[in-house]
Amino acid sequence: EWVNFHRRSRSIILRRLQDELRDSQIKPINNIMNGKDTLVIASTGSGKSLIYQIPALVQNDTLTLVIEPTLALMHDQVETLKKCGVEAEYIDSSLSGSKWPERMDQLAHKKFSLLYVTPEKLLNLDLAGNKIGMIVIDECHCVLDWGYSFREAYLKIGAYIESLKKRPIVVALTATADEKDRKHIAELLGMNHHKCYVNSLYRKNLIFVKEYALSKEQKRVILNKYLKKYHRNSTIIYCNSRKAVDAVYDSVSKPHPKDVVKYHAGMNIEARTKSLDSFLCGYSHIMVATTAFGMGVDQEKVDLVIHFNMPLSTIDYYQQAGRAGRDGQKAHCILLYSDDDYYVDKAIINSIEHFSARKRALSRLDSMRDFCQDTEHCMVKTLLAELGEQYAKDCNHCLNCKKAGLDK
């Protein structure tokens, strides 16, 4: 229904949107189409991509730049759009040989209206011959979380936008940013008089469970217990290092031969692409990966997400756990943690050179440890509170709520 948007008048499109989209999508879309900077905070699986893709297709006489943090996410978005007949492309480090000049020629001749790039590639692209109508920063929490730690290019996006002869509309989207972070993100991106749309981040179909382990060996036993209990369709297992990914992959492959793939930055691009395609196409049903995997990737039938290690923050945890149940089905989110996890994570954070960013990350790690050790309060309410949302009721189905029910 949406493939031929650019062939219809704006008024017809807007009337159709009223019937096809949710109110939480229509309002920011209208704001963008009125030429206003827009910040959207909405849960994983709520259709954030359509919020910028529809205006991009309506206003296809200009180029829309979409900044994505990972190659996997970028390739997934472009592939999905192409299947719908939309002219979209990406430019990243995977382009080599004849593909690079071919892509640049397509860009020069305006063969597509949606271009996906990493922040690093954006800063080095020659776009002088293109009229940029909109710049989208997807997963915009990365501007803070990664910009101050190991991807400085994120901090330069605002200056890049200001350097353009005609300032484009700026759109930023994420599922995880509290009120303080929203303001900081908007400042760094130079968003002018923007409007912020905040939707509830509560996902009633997600069931949260956590379990302490004394050792890695015990963790692997617990991991296989939960795989046996809850693995039905697709499962993602997150680890905090490449070494952990390799070890867990080897362990899980024994009871699940030929059904497990892995994904981390230490693998070459071809190997990562092969693993991703195998998982997304349903040839393999268990993905073991570092935490950058899956950010925004629209994979249905993920009904189990297991964290083998304690995440760096509750915000990171909710973002990653949200890969489960994107199509609304019941899903389990299992958090395994040990004392060692805290110190491994702390060592990772202490490598951050920027003082205030390191201090902020350490504080968040302490909150994550408190969350793991809390046996009394609803896990969902605690996670939402970390994101600036005060949820009135207990979820009644997380581990802590279940325990409280048994104690009564």
Side-chain angles (χ1 to χ4, degrees), residues 3 153 223 307 340 348:
V3 173
L223 170 67
H307 279 77
D340 286 346
I348 293 171

Side-chain angles (χ1 to χ4, degrees), residues 374-388:
D374 181 359
T375 59
E376 298 179 7
H377 302 95
C378 171
M379 294 173 68
V380 173
K381 280 181 68 174
T382 302
L383 290 168
L384 292 177
E386 289 285 328
L387 291 164

Side-chain angles (χ1 to χ4, degrees), residues 98-342:
S98 62
K99 289 184 179 180
W100 176 259
E102 179 185 340
R103 190 64 47 83
M104 296 309 295
D105 184 67
Q106 291 173 327
L107 177 62
H109 289 86
K110 301 176 176 62
K111 297 294 185 180
F112 42 81
S113 57
L114 270 159
L115 177 62
Y116 287 72
V117 296
T118 59
E120 290 81 7
K121 283 295 179 184
L122 170 74
L123 301 178
N124 295 305
L125 274 181
D126 181 8
L127 299 171
N130 291 269
K131 182 182 177 183
I132 303 172
M134 179 165 57
I135 291 183
V136 178
I137 302 88
D138 196 13
E139 308 292 351
C140 66
H141 60 279
C142 293
V143 172
L144 296 180
D145 292 345
W146 292 358
Y148 284 120
S149 51
F150 65 98
R151 294 182 72 172
E152 190 179 350
Y154 265 112
L155 302 179
K156 298 179 180 179
I157 295 173
Y160 175 85
I161 293 169
E162 291 302 319
S163 72
L164 299 173
K165 289 183 179 180
K166 184 177 179 181
R167 190 183 183 283
I169 302 165
V170 179
V171 179
L173 313 99
T174 183
T176 47
D178 60 25
E179 189 172 351
K180 186 178 179 180
D181 284 353
R182 295 167 204 164
K183 291 179 180 178
H184 197 177
I185 290 167
E187 289 172 2
L188 287 171
L189 296 177
M191 299 179 78
N192 294 336
H193 309 292
H194 72 285
K195 189 161 185 178
C196 182
Y197 295 88
V198 181
N199 303 320
S200 176
L201 301 176
Y202 176 51
R203 301 272 304 282
K204 64 180 181 181
N205 61 318
L206 300 185
I207 300 171
F208 287 86
V209 178
K210 58 187 175 183
E211 188 163 344
Y212 175 76
L214 286 169
S215 64
K216 292 178 183 177
E217 291 73 21
Q218 188 181 18
K219 266 192 187 180
R220 283 192 277 270
V221 172
I222 298 171
L223 170 67
N224 284 312
K225 176 188 74 174
Y226 282 117
L227 278 172
K228 186 176 181 179
K229 187 173 183 179
Y230 294 127
H231 174 60
R232 296 292 180 270
N233 295 301
S234 294
T235 293
I236 300 174
I237 303 171
Y238 282 116
C239 303
N240 64 358
S241 69
R242 301 174 190 179
K243 184 178 179 180
V245 167
D246 291 337
V248 171
Y249 170 81
D250 291 340
S251 174
V252 174
S253 295
K254 294 175 183 177
H256 301 273
K258 300 181 180 180
D259 201 27
V260 187
V261 289
K262 62 181 178 180
Y263 188 103
H264 61 67
M267 301 162 60
N268 61 45
I269 291 175
E270 291 77 14
R272 293 203 305 269
T273 301
K274 184 178 178 180
S275 290
L276 179 63
D277 290 345
S278 180
F279 184 68
L280 294 179
C281 294
Y283 302 123
S284 302
H285 298 92
I286 301 175
M287 169 65 79
V288 186
T290 46
T291 54
F293 170 78
M295 191 180 289
V297 174
D298 190 10
Q299 170 69 336
E300 296 182 351
K301 297 184 178 180
V302 175
D303 45 19
L304 178 60
V305 169
I306 300 176
H307 279 77
F308 189 75
N309 305 105
M310 180 193 299
L312 294 173
S313 71
T314 52
I315 293 174
D316 284 350
Y317 177 56
Y318 200 65
Q319 174 87 18
Q320 294 149 15
R323 309 287 178 256
R326 287 179 65 101
D327 48 356
Q329 87 278 19
K330 177 182 174 182
H332 287 82
C333 305
I334 312 297
L335 170 59
L336 308 182
Y337 66 98
S338 66
D339 295 334
D340 286 346
D341 289 339
Y342 176 80

